[in-house]
Amino acid sequence: MPLSEHEQRMLEQMERALYAEDPKFATALEGSGLRTYTRRRVYQAVVGFLVGIALLMTGVVAPQFWIISVVGFLVMLGCAVLAVTGWRKAPKPGEQQARGRQGGGRTRHSMMDRIEARWQRRRDEQQGGGH
């Protein structure tokens, strides 16, 4: 069931108010910052991995501090997991633009259009699954 004209106007007003009040948050909700965030997370994980290697080597050089080697290994393991999961979640370079072109040649959907499309998809899935 599509939104009524009044509901669409209200949501558009809310969207404009959100952009005016907190554009950084609105952009984060839009998803454009996701790629930057995941890239930064991967870079931080790589730096953490290098710190883990340094801790591991320090523990090897000074055997009385063997616990440092264990901590270094755990840091390396955790950072490797973060880097791999962050890399897999990162959108591909053309993926953001491809999503925006689905709506009749427009290059970018408004937040309202995306919310409405998700709502419609869920309704269709519920109707299809119930029969």
Side-chain angles (χ1 to χ4, degrees), residues 40-53 79-80 82-83:
R40 186 179 317 131
R41 184 174 155 192
V42 169
Y43 290 150
Q44 289 171 346
V46 168
V47 169
F49 189 84
L50 295 174
V51 169
I53 289 175
C79 289
L82 278 176

Side-chain angles (χ1 to χ4, degrees), residues 1-14 112 116 119:
M1 166 185 273
L3 297 174
S4 70
E5 288 293 320
H6 176 68
E7 292 170 332
Q8 287 180 352
R9 279 193 306 255
M10 292 297 292
L11 284 171
E12 287 172 2
Q13 287 175 354
M14 290 168 46
M112 178 62 215
E116 190 172 348
W119 179 261

Side-chain angles (χ1 to χ4, degrees), residues 5-6 17 25-26 35 41 47 50-51 65 76-77 79 81 87 92 94 96 100-101 103 105 108 110 117-118 128 130:
E5 288 293 320
H6 176 68
F25 179 67
R35 186 164 178 225
R41 184 174 155 192
V47 169
L50 295 174
V51 169
F65 299 115
M76 289 170 52
L77 182 64
C79 289
V81 168
W87 194 260
K92 306 290 183 263
Q96 289 290 333
R101 289 190 194 113
R108 187 175 155 199
S110 70
R118 288 180 189 159

Side-chain angles (χ1 to χ4, degrees), residues 4 58 60 106 129:
S4 70
T58 302
V60 169
R106 287 175 36 185

Side-chain angles (χ1 to χ4, degrees), residues 27-91:
T27 303
L29 286 178
E30 198 172 74
S32 63
L34 178 64
R35 186 164 178 225
T36 304
Y37 170 75
T38 53
R39 184 181 299 155
R40 186 179 317 131
R41 184 174 155 192
V42 169
Y43 290 150
Q44 289 171 346
V46 168
V47 169
F49 189 84
L50 295 174
V51 169
I53 289 175
L55 289 172
L56 182 71
M57 290 300 161
T58 302
V60 169
V61 170
Q64 65 270 25
F65 299 115
W66 62 269
I67 192 73
I68 294 176
S69 292
V70 173
V71 170
F73 176 76
L74 293 175
V75 168
M76 289 170 52
L77 182 64
C79 289
V81 168
L82 278 176
V84 169
T85 58
W87 194 260
R88 287 184 182 169
K89 289 180 183 177

